[in-house]
């Protein structure tokens, strides 16, 4: 450089990986139980390609009963926390999630529970 008219050309290339989460198992079916008895299961959340820390949020469905009442019979617990923390080698630690269901009224449900990160992915 130093007033030298030579030109330098730099070529950069790369691959952009979008963060995503996978689940094991990919779907779940909770066992039928008597009224007001809790049924639960554990799923593993597998984060991939997170370069920054993020926090998992959960949107639980609200169900409408035959009498018009609305309930949220699901509950979620993250016993080891719900933060995705990237490690120095570029991998992300799996998260454990307990999902439980309890209802004092008869109800059946088939639908989605939404997991999002702080970027709303």
């Amino acid at each position: 450089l130093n007033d030298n008219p030579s030109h330098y050309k730099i070529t950069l290339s790369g691959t952009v990986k979008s963060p995503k989460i996978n689940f094991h198992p990919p779907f779940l079916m909770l066992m039928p139980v008597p009224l007001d008895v809790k049924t639960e299961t554990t799923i593993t959340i597998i984060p991939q390609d997170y370069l920054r820390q993020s926090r998992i949020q959960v949107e639980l469905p609200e169900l409408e009963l035959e009498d018009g009442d609305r309930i949220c019979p699901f509950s979620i617990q993250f016993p080891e926390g719900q933060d995705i923390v990237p490690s120095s080698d570029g991998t992300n630690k799996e998260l454990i999630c307990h999902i439980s269901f309890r209802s004092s009224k008869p109800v059946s449900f088939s639908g989605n529970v939404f997991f999002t990160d702080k970027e709303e992915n």
Side-chain angles (χ1 to χ4, degrees):
L1 302 157
N2 298 328
D3 296 327
N4 187 344
S6 299
H7 295 282
Y8 295 91
K9 181 178 179 182
I10 298 175
T11 303
L12 302 174
S13 64
T15 303
V16 176
K17 293 183 177 182
S18 296
K20 62 182 176 180
I21 53 177
N22 291 312
F23 300 90
H24 182 75
F27 67 92
L28 66 96
M29 186 180 324
L30 296 171
M31 297 301 296
V33 292
L35 294 178
D36 219 21
V37 172
K38 182 165 68 170
T39 182
E40 63 185 334
T41 192
T42 299
I43 63 170
T44 303
I45 299 173
I46 307 161
Q48 294 179 315
D49 301 323
Y50 278 84
L51 302 176
R52 290 186 287 279
Q53 183 169 334
S54 192
R55 185 171 184 85
I56 296 292
Q57 300 295 323
V58 183
E59 183 181 323
L60 297 172
E62 186 176 69
L63 310 180
E64 185 171 345
L65 303 176
E66 289 180 5
D67 63 5
D69 284 350
R70 298 187 71 78
I71 62 169
C72 185
F74 295 96
S75 64
I76 299 283
Q77 290 184 342
F78 291 89
E80 299 170 7
Q82 59 197 87
D83 291 328
I84 297 172
V85 180
S87 66
S88 59
D89 66 0
T91 61
N92 302 122
K93 182 181 174 190
E94 296 178 347
L95 303 174
I96 302 299
C97 178
H98 297 299
I99 300 178
S100 63
F101 174 92
R102 179 187 304 218
S103 178
S104 59
K105 297 183 178 182
V107 65
S108 172
F109 170 76
S110 176
N112 296 312
V113 174
F114 293 100
F115 292 81
T116 57
D117 62 19
K118 72 178 185 182
E119 309 282 323
E120 297 186 9
N121 295 312

